Amino acid sequence: MAVAIEVPRKTKRIAADDAAERSEARLHSLAKSRLVIEGVSPEIDGGRFAVKRAEGEVLTVEADIYGDGHEKYAAAVVYGASGGGEERETPLSYVDNDRWAADIAFDTPGPHRFSIIAWRDLYATWRYEAEKKKTAGLDISLELTEGRQLVTAALESGRGTKADQKLLKSLVQLLEKAAAKGDAEAQYALLQYGDVVRLLDATGIRTHLTRYHSEVPVWVDRERAAFSAWYELMPRSQSNDVTRHGTFDDVIARLPDVKEMGFDVLYLLPLHPIGKTNRKGKNNTLTPGPDDPGSPYAIGAPDGGHTAIHSELGTFEDFARLVEATHAHGMEIAIDFAIQCSPDHPWIKAHPEWFDWRPDGTIKFAENPPKKYEDIVNVHFYRGALPSIWYELRDIVLFWISKGVRIFRVDNPHTKPFPFWEWMIEEVRRVDPGAIFLAEAFTRPKPMKRLAKVGYNQSYSYFTWRNTKTELTQYLTELTQEECGEYMRPNFFVNTPDINPRYLQTSGRPGFQIRLALAATLGGNYGVYSGYELCEYIPVQGKEEYLNSEKYEIRAFDWKREGNIRDDIAFFNRIRNSEPALKSFRDLAFYNFWNENILYYGKRTPDGSNFLLFIVSLDPHKPQGGNFEVPLWELGLPDDGSVAVENLVNGDRFTWTGKMQHWWLDPEALPYAVLRIGT
Amino acid sequence: MAVAIEVPRKTKRIAADDAAERSEARLHSLAKSRLVIEGVSPEIDGGRFAVKRAEGEVLTVEADIYGDGHEKYAAAVVYGASGGGEERETPLSYVDNDRWAADIAFDTPGPHRFSIIAWRDLYATWRYEAEKKKTAGLDISLELTEGRQLVTAALESGRGTKADQKLLKSLVQLLEKAAAKGDAEAQYALLQYGDVVRLLDATGIRTHLTRYHSEVPVWVDRERAAFSAWYELMPRSQSNDVTRHGTFDDVIARLPDVKEMGFDVLYLLPLHPIGKTNRKGKNNTLTPGPDDPGSPYAIGAPDGGHTAIHSELGTFEDFARLVEATHAHGMEIAIDFAIQCSPDHPWIKAHPEWFDWRPDGTIKFAENPPKKYEDIVNVHFYRGALPSIWYELRDIVLFWISKGVRIFRVDNPHTKPFPFWEWMIEEVRRVDPGAIFLAEAFTRPKPMKRLAKVGYNQSYSYFTWRNTKTELTQYLTELTQEECGEYMRPNFFVNTPDINPRYLQTSGRPGFQIRLALAATLGGNYGVYSGYELCEYIPVQGKEEYLNSEKYEIRAFDWKREGNIRDDIAFFNRIRNSEPALKSFRDLAFYNFWNENILYYGKRTPDGSNFLLFIVSLDPHKPQGGNFEVPLWELGLPDDGSVAVENLVNGDRFTWTGKMQHWWLDPEALPYAVLRIGT
């Protein structure tokens, strides 16, 4: 028979000494994280970009947490302001399949962060195993000693409050007394007593405490960034007289009207001096008359550029009065930030290095071959313009912030470098963490999302072109349920000076009510461009553009003319503020309505105290109706349960009994219903 | 009329000087990455863990790549060995929706990495715009000058080979000659000429070159890690005589037999001295007879532990002969690495700090209350055992590597710390990058995946308990199509000493053929535990354990007894090597067969040159058949197309015409079919 040979084992050092040192350092570095914390959600691109929340808004943090072996664990979210400061802690609860979750919230705007800690919970493991052995009738005297040792260790660790420490001291004494008497039952009862368990949760040793490798950034906004109703207007068209250029005072005169409709944000199209070279005429022609005012997007004239005011609108004193009056009406001003220049902009002479020049010495106009935009030139951001134009543009924003403007609608941001936006928004936020930027990017999905990642608080969306039930359901599900919901907040504009939606060109007044209802209730942020309330719809033939657009001429409207939908607007803006469920963009659910022309959805506060149902016909031409499901299951009710219903449009109150109900919408009467349900 | 006021803009510095410096540094740091490279796939946990590939195996790299504006881009994967060295470059191709992709592969085992670069392709932008203008009949003389400038810039940049530079020089001369003559057509034709475009692709200026922020790690294995057929046996049962303890020489005598069945890996159950204290008797009883050999997992006796050989098996010289003989048969040895000790293991006295002790001074046995495993104690890895046990265990593996073993089946790795495995496998790979570790973890999904992430080359799986069409389809879809496919390679064992699957307890011989067919064709790695070829199935009543298990007694078998399925095993191991499609675990597709008892799937090489279809009845008891779809679409054929078919089981050749075909499987004849199709 052969004899076993014990072969001498290798020495600890397997290679050169420095390799051995690296190996030992690596060992200790890895050993620090015995528990696994992974699959953390939300976390955008591995923490490269911040999750967004408004102040007080719930952030549900989830992670996969586990370790080797069969021990019990405990875990918590730790969070606070970025760059140090006090750290709060909220316990995570076990969900399923090694997944844990907790809800947290941040109180103040600005940069924040969270991370996750987890540890072996020796006391929980002890309780579990001691109970199993006791139940099996085994001797647990050793277990009782081990339990006492865990309590003593908690006392010695000094964790918890002074009161906790005092309680621990008494507990140790009680346990020792019982042990001295040999009273196993008393010791066991004490160690499994509910209050003792809670005491040990708070003070027990955190064995193998592991912290998630990164601090997940969270940008916290003031509420307006997540919840706003915009009214967009062209200041020069507010005179009620096409022969007189409107002024800031004319805008002030319109404030009660806008306030009556319930808007939060008054968004003014560009205010700056307008170039004369290659100025556009009415309806975007290349042959302007001498009195044609030109497009306000052709920014810059000899009397100034992006920090100047077009002289016919007023002075900075007038503008200050407008800002003040707007605030007095409970609203805020938003202005346009459009980084392009008319050929007359002072920058062209002062900073030729900010522009592109052709081989023949002429400036390069904006173009999309074979189209040319000869009233506009674009700046560039690199070569001789880096970093001077970056500072210049940042300082323009800071200038307007000093004038009382905190909201900026940015024109075509996807045609300027993403790194510029990231840097500029960071810079501005150091001065005003409440500054809000809306990205007017209508481009491919990923660049739109990137703008939101680099810091934009709000984003234009594809909402304008999502009209059918399938389109709306798919798009809203993406926006509210997929990862982009963590950092991108769409602003659902029903129309803009550049978008006269085809749907509204043929829908008549009911179509305007329908699109309003959808935008105001599906969107946390939404907006209308003035004229919408009057159901303005006449297009340049075959195009999604308005005929006789304000972009190229002064217009005048009777803002209360017959057939307007001001009451609908006021209704939606009122319930947006009275019904808490409407404040959350993402707490949205689509339910079954057996009619492809009716969109049926619900919004509900996380605590369930406010629950609204919306039934919106998508057909502006003829009545639609059908059966639908009342989501009784979400209220914990059986299929034959009853709910109290209030029709928020007319105040009717009634009861639905049973899951299946019927509704009918006549677009000539009202194409939508808003119902509040409760038990 | 009010007068515009140009307000002096802010100075460049908005805060204290150091804040301004940070701001400028941040600006330049961000500005470096003008293009966006994100959504890189595969990348495991943000690059924390390596993607796995075998040498030569295709790695499809994808990323979202785009920039601001409308310019054209180009992009490439750059890759090579970790830690510097030569970097290869493969162009990425545009797929759709800002997604780009490329296939790369690595030639040698070891640590590698890839990253992505992208740049503005000025020449492509120029070609696009010049063509649009020319088509629109506009003057392009300025464009031609700009085109020449781009070629000149390429020449001046010095990129490309010497031959490229020579061609560029000629091209510049030709363009200048044509320009001097005012020959616009000739210049345009040259600049758009295919060879010129390719020349500029290779040499053109890479404007705004951006590199992905991280180097994605890729671990490259030798082929055996991804493609292997294991035969597991208990060495002491190879004597053909229950009264004689088998030896390494008995195992050598069985090699021709194992080779005849076509296996690659011969996996030996533990070889070490077995403890006597609390030794288990036959059928896991606590009352062993004096001759009972005990469980080989109770490792360690006075004559040695994990680096010793159980004396009845042989000496190290005998073991060396076994290793050599196995290699001579074209196979490799795998051994068990089970980190637990019998109460007699020398470590317990030498290293009490590696064990847990109770308050009464006794050692803590392995237990799962109220069950106790009194023939085994576990080591721990922290407190006084950190780092000494880590080094000890690493050195055990290195010891066996020095004895010619390169494959380790690791017992219960999920009950040892994940950081230990990560460190240990890294350490071992520095000595032998071809070392292979198989994780015997049957636990929850996430810990199983974590073991693969921290370095295990192969993983046991839930395959043994996936029997129905739905179960198999869902499980294989997860394993092959989801992210875990990038780093986890299951090894489909049909049975193990611990798992006598319920399915096989009642299936008869056809069930053994069925589960073999599934494991051998669905799994890149698969394994059988000896006795499977004999359709051994008798369980401990009501359990998934074998009666009279080799774990507790010496057994003897007639390895060629009637009713065996050696021919089936040899067939599958033969086609696994002759048919390239079987080498890839992830190139799997399930197709329609209108019978819930028949699983129908295909494997196909990426180039389509080898295309196999598998029709496997899951019903071992009665014949099953039905209609199925031939995937003509994958061959680019219409629904009424024809394919040549070869039945690999019997060599029959025939033609299928039309997408819908019929098949019939009688379990008494053969419950599976393997068909090779081609055009």
Side-chain angles (χ1 to χ4, degrees):
Chain A
M1 185 184 287
V3 176
I5 299 166
E6 179 80 347
V7 175
R9 66 186 175 85
K10 296 225 168 186
T11 63
K12 185 170 154 183
R13 305 254 180 264
I14 57 164
D17 271 1
D18 59 340
E21 264 170 46
R22 271 203 307 278
S23 147
E24 182 145 0
R26 175 83 172 143
L27 185 160
H28 287 288
S29 158
L30 287 168
K32 266 184 216 157
S33 299
R34 180 167 191 172
L35 305 195
V36 177
I37 303 172
E38 63 181 7
V40 171
S41 162
E43 188 179 23
I44 311 305
D45 294 1
R48 168 75 178 79
F49 298 107
V51 171
K52 286 201 190 85
R53 284 295 183 277
E55 34 186 341
E57 185 183 357
V58 168
L59 170 60
T60 301
V61 175
E62 296 190 15
D64 296 328
I65 299 172
Y66 54 90
D68 55 283
H70 306 293
E71 274 74 9
K72 303 287 172 190
Y73 303 102
V77 192
V78 287
Y79 53 107
S82 286
E86 204 196 344
E87 187 165 270
R88 281 190 283 171
E89 185 176 310
T90 296
L92 284 151
S93 304
Y94 185 76
V95 181
D96 189 20
N97 190 22
D98 291 315
R99 195 90 180 139
W100 298 63
D103 285 347
I104 62 171
F106 297 93
D107 301 331
T108 49
H112 292 75
R113 43 95 205 161
F114 72 83
S115 194
I116 290 173
I117 55 174
W119 59 94
R120 279 193 165 186
D121 186 343
L122 297 188
Y123 199 69
T125 304
W126 178 90
R127 288 194 296 121
Y128 175 77
E129 295 193 347
E131 191 191 349
K132 277 179 79 165
K133 285 189 184 171
K134 189 165 191 295
T135 307
L138 301 175
D139 173 40
I140 59 162
S141 54
L142 287 178
E143 278 69 24
L144 292 174
T145 305
E146 288 164 343
R148 282 201 312 275
Q149 287 171 348
L150 289 171
V151 176
T152 307
L155 179 61
E156 285 165 359
S157 79
R159 292 189 64 245
T161 63
K162 277 193 181 174
D164 289 340
Q165 287 294 311
K166 212 172 148 186
L167 286 168
L168 280 171
K169 215 167 178 173
S170 313
L171 179 59
V172 169
Q173 287 166 354
L174 284 170
L175 286 167
E176 279 168 0
K177 209 175 288 177
K181 278 198 233 165
D183 188 344
E185 283 302 325
Q187 291 177 73
Y188 184 80
L190 268 171
L191 288 166
Q192 296 277 20
Y193 183 59
D195 287 348
V196 168
V197 170
R198 279 184 288 279
L199 181 63
L200 269 291
D201 278 351
T203 61
I205 300 262
R206 294 182 164 183
T207 306
H208 297 308
L209 183 70
T210 301
R211 188 170 178 125
Y212 184 55
H213 61 76
S214 102
E215 301 290 303
V216 180
V218 181
W219 176 260
V220 179
D221 272 311
R222 61 189 177 108
E223 191 193 50
R224 186 66 72 232
F227 185 72
S228 62
W230 294 44
Y231 186 75
E232 173 175 7
L233 59 72
M234 182 73 86
R236 71 185 177 196
S237 287
Q238 307 306 313
S239 68
N240 290 333
D241 175 354
V242 295
T243 67
R244 187 171 71 76
H245 192 287
T247 66
F248 290 141
D249 282 328
D250 293 317
V251 178
I252 291 172
R254 274 216 67 207
L255 291 175
D257 178 19
V258 179
K259 178 63 188 168
E260 195 176 87
M261 289 187 280
F263 289 103
D264 310 313
V265 176
L266 180 70
Y267 156 38
L268 309 176
L269 284 148
L271 311 171
H272 313 300
I274 296 168
K276 285 222 161 89
T277 303
N278 299 334
R279 178 176 278 190
K280 295 293 182 78
K282 290 188 177 67
N283 284 307
N284 202 16
T285 52
L286 294 169
T287 52
D291 296 331
D292 279 348
S295 163
Y297 286 99
I299 293 170
D303 56 340
H306 288 77
T307 50
I309 286 175
H310 183 65
S311 57
E312 290 173 286
L313 285 171
T315 65
F316 273 97
E317 287 74 31
D318 299 332
F319 183 71
R321 274 192 296 110
L322 170 58
V323 169
E324 202 179 327
T326 309
H327 291 173
H329 282 81
M331 298 187 286
E332 270 191 72
I333 290 282
I335 66 168
D336 224 298
F337 184 46
I339 308 176
Q340 65 248 6
C341 300
S342 91
D344 306 329
H345 197 292
W347 285 349
I348 295 175
K349 278 183 189 140
H351 292 285
E353 74 278 14
W354 292 353
F355 298 90
D356 284 314
W357 302 88
R358 307 294 306 273
D360 64 350
T362 58
I363 199 163
K364 189 172 166 66
F365 286 95
E367 57 181 335
N368 184 11
K371 279 198 215 167
K372 286 192 177 190
Y373 303 99
E374 287 186 315
D375 63 338
I376 287 175
V377 296
N378 284 316
V379 303
H380 69 229
F381 289 77
Y382 280 80
R383 300 202 295 277
L386 177 75
S388 52
I389 189 86
W390 297 45
Y391 284 110
E392 176 77 17
L393 293 169
R394 175 198 70 184
D395 290 345
I396 289 168
V397 172
L398 291 175
F399 169 81
W400 287 104
I401 284 179
S402 77
K403 298 295 171 197
V405 177
R406 301 179 78 196
I407 307 183
F408 299 86
R409 176 273 196 193
V410 180
D411 196 63
N412 270 324
H414 57 295
T415 60
K416 285 88 193 171
F418 297 103
F420 165 69
W421 297 121
E422 185 166 8
W423 175 82
M424 191 275 275
I425 293 172
E426 277 178 17
E427 291 278 300
V428 170
R429 281 177 174 167
R430 268 203 284 280
V431 176
D432 180 4
I436 294 172
F437 295 91
L438 164 62
E440 189 252 358
F442 294 109
T443 181
R444 307 181 309 283
K446 287 166 188 171
M448 287 174 69
K449 288 175 181 167
R450 182 79 177 191
L451 289 165
K453 287 181 186 175
V454 300
Y456 276 89
N457 312 73
Q458 299 186 2
S459 308
Y460 278 74
S461 75
Y462 305 140
F463 170 74
T464 328
W465 302 282
R466 297 293 179 271
N467 294 301
T468 67
K469 185 169 180 168
T470 304
E471 286 168 357
L472 286 161
T473 305
Q474 283 180 355
Y475 189 49
L476 266 297
T477 300
E478 176 193 339
L479 293 176
T480 60
Q481 307 306 311
E482 294 186 10
E483 190 192 59
C484 62
E486 302 288 353
Y487 60 83
M488 185 167 77
R489 301 190 191 99
N491 190 325
F492 287 162
F493 267 76
V494 288
N495 67 331
T496 79
D498 298 314
I499 309 170
N500 176 6
R502 287 184 201 282
Y503 179 90
L504 297 176
Q505 293 177 19
T506 58
S507 71
R509 186 175 181 272
F512 283 78
Q513 292 171 302
I514 288 166
R515 297 295 299 177
L516 167 74
L518 296 172
T521 60
L522 289 170
N525 301 296
Y526 90 105
V528 309
Y529 160 54
S530 70
Y532 189 90
E533 67 269 47
L534 306 179
C535 306
E536 284 279 316
Y537 73 93
I538 299 174
V540 175
Q541 211 189 334
K543 297 199 172 177
E544 285 206 315
E545 289 169 24
Y546 287 101
L547 192 67
N548 306 325
S549 166
E550 287 182 313
K551 285 196 290 182
Y552 310 106
E553 64 189 279
I554 294 169
R555 298 286 306 274
F557 298 94
D558 170 2
W559 297 107
K560 300 191 175 176
R561 81 179 178 212
E562 210 175 330
N564 71 63
I565 59 163
R566 294 170 55 92
D567 287 349
D568 301 83
I569 294 172
F571 166 73
F572 282 111
N573 284 336
R574 180 167 55 72
I575 63 167
R576 280 170 58 87
N577 285 291
S578 65
E579 304 301 316
L582 278 166
K583 300 225 164 169
S584 169
F585 172 58
R586 297 193 303 144
D587 290 317
L588 169 70
F590 291 97
Y591 302 117
N592 285 325
F593 199 116
W594 282 271
N595 180 328
E596 274 309 293
N597 293 295
I598 291 179
L599 192 71
Y600 168 50
Y601 51 97
K603 283 202 157 186
R604 188 183 180 206
T605 52
D607 67 358
S609 63
N610 187 241
F611 197 162
L612 305 181
L613 297 175
F614 305 90
I615 305 175
V616 184
S617 172
L618 304 177
D619 179 354
H621 302 295
K622 56 183 185 300
Q624 295 283 352
N627 290 329
F628 65 98
E629 278 184 330
V630 183
L632 297 176
W633 61 92
E634 294 201 6
L635 297 163
L637 295 174
D639 285 1
D640 60 353
S642 293
V643 285
V645 189
E646 179 174 353
N647 182 333
L648 294 186
V649 175
N650 59 19
D652 283 358
R653 290 167 188 265
F654 49 93
T655 297
W656 278 331
T657 297
K659 195 170 77 168
M660 200 64 78
Q661 299 292 335
H662 192 88
W663 202 270
W664 185 257
L665 293 166
D666 179 350
E668 291 307 316
L670 201 67
Y672 57 80
V674 182
L675 305 152
R676 184 170 58 205
I677 63 171
T679 47
Chain B
M1 185 186 292
V3 176
I5 298 166
E6 180 80 350
V7 175
R9 67 187 175 83
K10 297 224 171 187
T11 63
K12 185 170 153 182
R13 306 252 181 264
I14 56 164
D17 271 2
D18 58 341
E21 263 170 43
R22 273 203 305 279
S23 146
E24 181 146 359
R26 175 81 172 142
L27 184 159
H28 287 290
S29 158
L30 286 168
K32 266 183 215 157
S33 299
R34 181 166 190 171
L35 305 196
V36 176
I37 303 171
E38 63 183 5
V40 171
S41 163
E43 189 179 23
I44 311 305
D45 294 0
R48 167 78 177 79
F49 298 106
V51 171
K52 286 202 191 85
R53 285 294 184 279
E55 36 187 338
E57 187 183 358
V58 168
L59 170 59
T60 300
V61 175
E62 296 190 14
D64 296 328
I65 299 172
Y66 54 90
D68 56 283
H70 305 292
E71 275 75 8
K72 304 286 172 190
Y73 303 102
V77 193
V78 286
Y79 54 107
S82 287
E86 204 197 343
E87 186 166 271
R88 280 190 285 171
E89 185 177 311
T90 295
L92 284 151
S93 304
Y94 185 75
V95 181
D96 190 20
N97 190 22
D98 291 315
R99 195 91 181 140
W100 297 63
D103 286 347
I104 62 172
F106 297 93
D107 301 330
T108 49
H112 292 74
R113 42 95 204 162
F114 72 82
S115 194
I116 290 173
I117 56 173
W119 59 93
R120 279 194 163 183
D121 186 343
L122 297 188
Y123 198 69
T125 304
W126 179 89
R127 289 193 296 122
Y128 175 77
E129 296 193 347
E131 190 191 350
K132 277 179 81 166
K133 284 188 184 172
K134 189 165 191 296
T135 307
L138 302 175
D139 173 38
I140 60 162
S141 54
L142 286 178
E143 278 70 21
L144 292 174
T145 305
E146 288 163 344
R148 282 200 312 274
Q149 288 171 348
L150 289 171
V151 176
T152 306
L155 179 60
E156 284 164 359
S157 78
R159 292 189 64 247
T161 62
K162 277 195 181 171
D164 290 339
Q165 286 294 311
K166 210 172 150 187
L167 286 168
L168 280 172
K169 212 165 179 176
S170 312
L171 178 59
V172 169
Q173 287 167 354
L174 283 170
L175 286 167
E176 277 168 2
K177 209 175 285 178
K181 278 198 228 161
D183 188 343
E185 283 302 326
Q187 290 176 72
Y188 184 80
L190 268 171
L191 289 165
Q192 296 278 21
Y193 183 60
D195 286 349
V196 168
V197 170
R198 279 185 288 279
L199 181 63
L200 269 291
D201 278 352
T203 61
I205 300 264
R206 294 181 163 184
T207 306
H208 297 308
L209 183 70
T210 301
R211 188 169 179 125
Y212 184 55
H213 62 76
S214 100
E215 301 290 303
V216 180
V218 181
W219 175 262
V220 180
D221 271 311
R222 61 190 177 109
E223 191 192 52
R224 185 67 70 232
F227 185 72
S228 61
W230 293 45
Y231 187 75
E232 173 175 7
L233 59 74
M234 181 72 87
R236 71 185 178 199
S237 287
Q238 307 306 313
S239 68
N240 290 332
D241 176 355
V242 295
T243 67
R244 187 171 70 79
H245 193 287
T247 65
F248 291 142
D249 282 328
D250 292 316
V251 177
I252 291 172
R254 273 216 67 206
L255 290 175
D257 178 18
V258 179
K259 178 63 189 167
E260 194 177 270
M261 289 187 281
F263 290 103
D264 310 313
V265 176
L266 180 69
Y267 157 36
L268 310 176
L269 283 149
L271 311 171
H272 314 299
I274 296 168
K276 285 220 162 91
T277 303
N278 299 333
R279 179 176 278 191
K280 295 293 180 80
K282 289 189 176 69
N283 285 307
N284 202 17
T285 53
L286 295 169
T287 51
D291 296 331
D292 279 348
S295 163
Y297 287 99
I299 294 171
D303 55 339
H306 287 76
T307 48
I309 286 175
H310 183 67
S311 57
E312 292 173 285
L313 285 170
T315 65
F316 274 97
E317 286 72 32
D318 299 332
F319 183 72
R321 273 192 296 111
L322 170 57
V323 169
E324 201 181 326
T326 309
H327 291 174
H329 282 82
M331 297 186 286
E332 269 190 73
I333 290 282
I335 66 167
D336 224 298
F337 184 45
I339 309 176
Q340 65 250 5
C341 301
S342 90
D344 306 328
H345 197 293
W347 286 349
I348 294 175
K349 279 184 190 142
H351 292 285
E353 74 278 13
W354 293 352
F355 298 90
D356 285 313
W357 302 88
R358 307 295 305 271
D360 64 349
T362 59
I363 199 161
K364 190 172 164 67
F365 286 94
E367 58 181 336
N368 184 14
K371 280 196 212 164
K372 285 193 177 189
Y373 303 100
E374 289 186 313
D375 62 339
I376 287 175
V377 297
N378 283 316
V379 303
H380 68 230
F381 289 77
Y382 280 80
R383 302 201 295 276
L386 177 76
S388 53
I389 189 88
W390 298 44
Y391 284 109
E392 176 77 17
L393 294 170
R394 176 199 68 183
D395 290 346
I396 289 168
V397 172
L398 292 175
F399 169 81
W400 287 104
I401 285 179
S402 78
K403 298 295 171 199
V405 177
R406 302 179 76 196
I407 307 183
F408 299 86
R409 177 271 196 194
V410 180
D411 197 63
N412 270 325
H414 57 295
T415 60
K416 286 88 193 171
F418 298 103
F420 165 70
W421 297 121
E422 185 166 7
W423 175 82
M424 191 276 275
I425 293 172
E426 278 177 18
E427 291 278 300
V428 170
R429 281 177 174 166
R430 268 202 284 281
V431 176
D432 180 5
I436 294 173
F437 295 91
L438 163 62
E440 190 252 358
F442 294 109
T443 181
R444 308 181 309 283
K446 287 166 188 171
M448 285 174 69
K449 288 174 182 168
R450 183 78 177 193
L451 289 165
K453 287 181 187 175
V454 301
Y456 275 90
N457 312 72
Q458 300 185 3
S459 308
Y460 277 73
S461 75
Y462 304 140
F463 171 74
T464 327
W465 302 283
R466 298 295 179 269
N467 294 302
T468 68
K469 184 169 180 168
T470 304
E471 286 168 358
L472 286 161
T473 305
Q474 283 179 356
Y475 188 49
L476 267 297
T477 300
E478 176 193 340
L479 293 176
T480 60
Q481 307 306 311
E482 294 186 9
E483 191 192 59
C484 61
E486 302 289 354
Y487 60 82
M488 185 167 76
R489 301 189 191 101
N491 189 326
F492 288 162
F493 265 76
V494 288
N495 67 329
T496 79
D498 298 314
I499 310 171
N500 176 6
R502 287 186 202 282
Y503 179 90
L504 297 176
Q505 293 178 19
T506 58
S507 70
R509 186 174 181 272
F512 284 78
Q513 291 172 301
I514 288 166
R515 297 295 298 177
L516 167 74
L518 295 172
T521 61
L522 289 170
N525 301 297
Y526 90 106
V528 309
Y529 161 54
S530 69
Y532 190 89
E533 69 268 47
L534 306 179
C535 306
E536 284 281 316
Y537 73 93
I538 300 174
V540 175
Q541 211 188 337
K543 297 199 172 177
E544 285 205 316
E545 288 170 25
Y546 287 101
L547 191 67
N548 306 325
S549 166
E550 287 181 313
K551 285 195 290 183
Y552 311 105
E553 62 190 280
I554 294 169
R555 298 286 307 274
F557 298 94
D558 169 3
W559 296 108
K560 300 191 175 175
R561 81 180 179 211
E562 210 176 330
N564 72 64
I565 58 164
R566 295 170 55 92
D567 286 348
D568 301 83
I569 295 173
F571 166 72
F572 283 111
N573 284 336
R574 179 167 55 74
I575 64 167
R576 279 169 59 86
N577 285 291
S578 64
E579 304 300 315
L582 278 167
K583 300 227 164 169
S584 168
F585 172 58
R586 298 194 302 143
D587 290 317
L588 169 71
F590 290 97
Y591 302 117
N592 286 324
F593 198 116
W594 281 271
N595 181 328
E596 274 310 294
N597 292 295
I598 291 180
L599 192 70
Y600 167 50
Y601 50 98
K603 283 204 155 184
R604 188 184 178 205
T605 52
D607 67 358
S609 63
N610 186 241
F611 198 161
L612 305 181
L613 297 175
F614 305 89
I615 306 175
V616 183
S617 172
L618 305 176
D619 179 353
H621 302 295
K622 57 183 185 299
Q624 295 284 350
N627 290 327
F628 65 98
E629 278 184 329
V630 184
L632 296 176
W633 61 91
E634 293 200 6
L635 297 164
L637 295 175
D639 285 1
D640 59 355
S642 293
V643 284
V645 188
E646 180 174 351
N647 183 333
L648 295 186
V649 174
N650 58 18
D652 283 356
R653 291 168 187 263
F654 48 94
T655 298
W656 278 332
T657 297
K659 193 170 77 168
M660 201 65 78
Q661 299 291 336
H662 192 88
W663 201 270
W664 186 258
L665 293 166
D666 180 349
E668 291 307 318
L670 201 67
Y672 57 80
V674 181
L675 306 152
R676 183 169 59 204
I677 62 170
T679 48

